[in-house]
């Protein structure tokens, strides 16, 4: 579809007519915002179109999802390209469901295997080589358990974005206790210094926020030498948004790699050879952050270290007093 500088339709082809429910020639000369009343599209069309695109429901059929992209054409015109991506979306959805179902089904047999390995461990008559095999089997089933947990968590955080008032009031002090418990399996977890002010709360889903923090902390441990300090802290920025950050003095990341880190199954070139992992950790962090309306930032200097931070929006960043005010408001005593 060809639009002039006032976003009036100058021309459109047949598929655009069908996908965007346009009548021709009646709609020619009308503003596109008056014809398609999707708030997301309105904002997109007013903004800077460079590189961006948006997905909306087709006005002719809500089951059809279309991707719309605005491309500047000379100084005063733009081309609006709409593409039917419903099949692609459906495929993505069934792939996601498949991974979630398969992970769920794998959990029960693995629990049985794990139980039998524990029984075997209690036997006295196992030879030394038998014990070694047993420990290898235990290590591998532990890895598999973590992989399945990560796949399940990823399919959970990918599902949708929370409404601004959705979630539980999660105490950051309690959340940090869960983090410290989870880090106990590392021999040198005492190099993690976790700082946080008391009486902060987040509105969100606790398991998913723990998922964000634990993945960042485990990465800092995995990708820095034993003994190197790791600084983790909760703070508040000037906009009243709570920020969780983890700073390590590890191997760091090359600038061209940073954008790829949150792709699922992506593993750094060196990490693949040196450290065990699945490439799911930062995908979980990114999706869980998106689901909470939070933003993940990564800065790094190769050879010196990295800093990963997640900023939660102010409407999710609560204080004790806010909870008291809210309780007073609800009780009607204000
Ligand atoms: P995994 O750790 O299982 O490989 P992640 O998704 O957690 O998967 O991380 C993806 C990649 O990002 C890692 O393979 C590693 O190359 C890089 N990475 C993540 N955290 C750090 C860090 N703190 N320092 C250096 N590289 C990191």
């Amino acid at each position: 579809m060809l639009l002039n500088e006032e976003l009036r339709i100058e021309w459109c082809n047949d598929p655009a007519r069908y996908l965007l429910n346009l009548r021709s020639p009646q709609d020619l000369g009308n503003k596109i915002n008056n014809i398609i009343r999707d708030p997301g599209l309105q904002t997109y069309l007013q903004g800077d179109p460079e590189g961006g695109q948006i997905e909306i429901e087709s006005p002719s059929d809500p089951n059809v999802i279309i991707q719309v992209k605005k491309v500047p054409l000379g100084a005063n015109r733009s081309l609006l390209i709409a593409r039917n991506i419903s099949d692609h979306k459906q495929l993505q959805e069934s792939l996601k469901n498949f991974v979630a179902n398969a992970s769920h089904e794998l959990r029960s047999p693995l629990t049985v295997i794990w139980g039998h390995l524990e029984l075997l461990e209690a036997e006295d008559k196992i030879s030394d080589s038998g014990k070694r095999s047993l420990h290898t089997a235990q290590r591998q089933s532990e890895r598999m358990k973590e992989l399945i947990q990560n796949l399940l968590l990823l399919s959970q955080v990918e599902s949708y974005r929370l409404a601004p008032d959705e979630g539980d009031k999660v105490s950051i002090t309690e959340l940090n206790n869960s983090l410290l418990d989870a880090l106990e399996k590392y021999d040198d977890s005492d190099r993690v210094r976790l700082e946080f002010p008391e009486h902060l709360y987040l509105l969100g889903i606790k398991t998913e926020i723990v998922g964000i923090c634990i993945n960042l902390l485990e990465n800092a441990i995995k990708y820095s030498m034993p003994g190197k300090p790791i600084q983790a802290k909760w703070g508040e920025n000037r906009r009243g948004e709570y920020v969780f950050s983890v700073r390590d003095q590890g191997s760091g990341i090359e600038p061209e790699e940073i954008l790829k880190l949150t792709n699922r199954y992506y593993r750094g070139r060196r990490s693949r050879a040196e450290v065990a992992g699945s490439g799911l950790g930062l995908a979980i962090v990114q999706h869980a952050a998106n689901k909470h309306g939070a933003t993940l930032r990564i800065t790094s200097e190769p050879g010196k270290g990295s800093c990963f931070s997640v900023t939660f929006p102010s409407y999710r960043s609560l204080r004790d007093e806010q909870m008291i005010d809210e309780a007073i408001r609800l009780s009607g005593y204000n």
Side-chain angles (χ1 to χ4, degrees):
M1 179 190 307
L2 197 60
L3 302 177
N4 69 12
E5 59 190 331
E6 291 178 323
L7 300 177
R8 291 182 191 279
I9 306 170
E10 289 196 350
W11 169 87
C12 67
N13 68 2
D14 284 340
R17 255 177 228 130
Y18 162 70
L19 275 182
L20 300 170
N21 205 18
L22 303 176
R23 294 160 309 151
S24 178
Q26 297 95 311
D27 284 336
L28 294 184
N30 283 336
K31 282 192 169 186
I32 181 80
N33 323 20
N34 295 337
I35 298 172
I36 307 174
R37 297 193 167 274
D38 182 295
L41 181 71
Q42 311 255 347
T43 319
Y44 171 73
L45 290 174
Q46 307 302 336
D48 174 14
E50 278 302 308
Q53 51 207 13
I54 184 172
E55 288 173 17
I56 59 168
E57 282 175 5
S58 163
S60 59
D61 179 353
N63 294 318
V64 173
I65 305 294
I66 51 179
Q67 186 184 66
V68 180
K69 187 174 166 68
K70 185 177 159 204
V71 185
L73 211 65
N76 304 324
R77 284 172 159 169
S78 50
L79 194 64
L80 203 72
I81 304 168
R83 201 186 297 273
N84 181 346
I85 56 162
S86 312
D87 286 351
H88 175 70
K89 281 271 172 205
Q90 236 163 29
L91 195 69
Q92 264 185 339
E93 198 55 31
S94 51
L95 208 76
K96 223 165 68 184
N97 289 341
F98 170 75
V99 172
N101 291 340
S103 316
H104 191 73
E105 292 302 322
L106 283 170
R107 226 166 29 171
S108 327
L110 189 63
T111 310
V112 176
I113 294 174
W114 184 253
H116 282 277
L117 290 175
E118 264 182 349
L119 282 179
L120 275 176
E121 203 181 16
E123 292 274 335
D124 330 316
K125 291 188 208 120
I126 303 180
S127 65
D128 283 350
S129 69
K131 275 188 192 143
R132 277 197 297 277
S133 303
L134 185 61
H135 286 146
T136 309
Q138 278 177 322
R139 249 197 341 269
Q140 294 302 326
S141 49
E142 181 67 34
R143 264 189 76 185
M144 207 156 156
K145 201 167 85 186
E146 281 175 10
L147 187 62
I148 290 171
Q149 269 167 358
N150 277 338
L151 283 167
L152 282 171
L153 185 56
L154 184 59
S155 55
Q156 181 186 326
V157 293
E158 267 184 332
S159 49
Y160 68 106
R161 190 167 171 150
L162 294 174
D165 59 350
E166 201 175 344
D168 303 316
K169 281 171 182 154
V170 180
S171 148
I172 288 186
T173 312
E174 276 172 34
L175 189 133
N176 287 339
N177 290 337
S178 312
L179 298 184
L180 295 173
D181 287 348
L183 290 183
E184 264 178 13
K185 65 179 176 188
Y186 294 95
D187 297 335
D188 63 341
S189 61
D190 54 350
R191 67 187 166 114
V192 178
R193 219 177 66 211
L194 184 55
E195 287 173 23
F196 57 96
E198 292 287 335
H199 311 303
L200 299 189
Y201 293 80
L202 274 176
L203 183 64
I205 299 177
K206 185 175 175 191
T207 47
E208 299 178 5
I209 303 173
V210 168
I212 292 179
C213 305
I214 202 71
N215 273 300
L216 296 182
L217 286 168
E218 288 194 334
N219 278 350
I221 294 178
K222 283 193 318 194
Y223 299 109
S224 61
M225 297 292 282
K228 289 274 183 196
I230 294 167
Q231 263 189 317
K233 78 173 181 212
W234 284 97
E236 185 177 353
N237 68 15
R238 269 180 293 156
R239 285 189 293 277
E241 300 162 332
Y242 293 169
V243 184
F244 178 70
S245 62
V246 180
R247 188 179 291 278
D248 65 50
Q249 298 175 16
S251 52
I253 306 151
E254 298 293 336
E256 64 275 11
E257 241 190 344
I258 288 190
L259 280 179
K260 300 183 203 155
L261 297 186
T262 54
N263 292 348
R264 85 186 66 178
Y265 307 118
Y266 179 83
R267 305 211 61 220
R269 205 163 23 89
R270 285 215 323 268
S271 328
R272 256 174 280 160
E274 292 166 12
V275 186
S278 59
L280 291 175
L282 290 179
I284 291 175
V285 173
Q286 176 74 77
H287 280 99
N290 287 349
K291 184 166 172 180
H292 284 79
T295 329
L296 167 69
R297 281 194 192 85
I298 308 173
T299 51
S300 185
E301 216 179 315
K304 292 217 163 143
S306 315
C307 181
F308 288 73
S309 68
V310 178
T311 306
F312 290 87
S314 53
Y315 59 84
R316 298 208 167 273
S317 308
L318 312 175
R319 280 177 187 286
D320 239 1
E321 304 97 75
Q322 260 171 302
M323 293 178 67
I324 295 164
D325 287 350
E326 181 71 1
I328 292 173
R329 194 182 62 74
L330 289 175
S331 66
Y333 282 110
N334 53 345

